[in-house]
Amino acid sequence: MQTTQHQLACGCARTLAAGAASELHVLRGVLWFTQSGDAKDYFLGAGERIALQGQSAVVQAEGKSAATYVLRQAGAPEPTTTVKLQKPPSGIALWAK
């Protein structure tokens, strides 16, 4: 399964079907999350993740802004962010491992 970013406008909800993924990872904003077979509701912020275990789940963007999240299968690569690097001032060396 390819990891794809999804965005929800504030107050909008989406149903996630069983087998769609094994983990939900919030990249931006806040999501309300509930799933079948689990009596608890969860509020997840940027950087938080939760395992999908029920037959279905519902997510809704909370707060004042949209929420962005990814659905991943176990073992799928982590979502990445592209960062544009600038050339350092002369005389400064950069080291990478």
Side-chain angles (χ1 to χ4, degrees):
M1 173 184 176
Q2 182 179 356
T3 301
T4 305
Q5 288 189 13
H6 302 275
Q7 188 165 357
L8 277 177
C10 182
C12 291
R14 182 171 293 146
T15 300
L16 308 176
S22 60
E23 182 180 77
L24 179 138
H25 181 183
V26 180
L27 301 176
R28 189 176 312 119
V30 176
L31 284 178
W32 166 76
F33 173 86
T34 188
Q35 63 184 335
S36 61
D38 186 348
K40 296 179 185 177
D41 289 355
Y42 302 88
F43 288 89
L44 306 168
E48 294 183 303
R49 59 187 78 208
I50 193 165
L52 304 176
Q53 300 171 341
Q55 290 297 314
S56 65
V58 175
V59 292
Q60 180 174 321
E62 295 291 324
K64 297 181 180 181
S65 61
T68 305
Y69 64 95
V70 293
L71 298 172
R72 299 183 329 124
Q73 292 291 348
E78 289 285 329
T80 58
T81 302
T82 303
V83 177
K84 184 176 181 180
L85 298 177
Q86 297 180 355
K87 184 177 178 181
S90 63
I92 297 177
L94 297 179
W95 302 93
K97 287 186 176 185

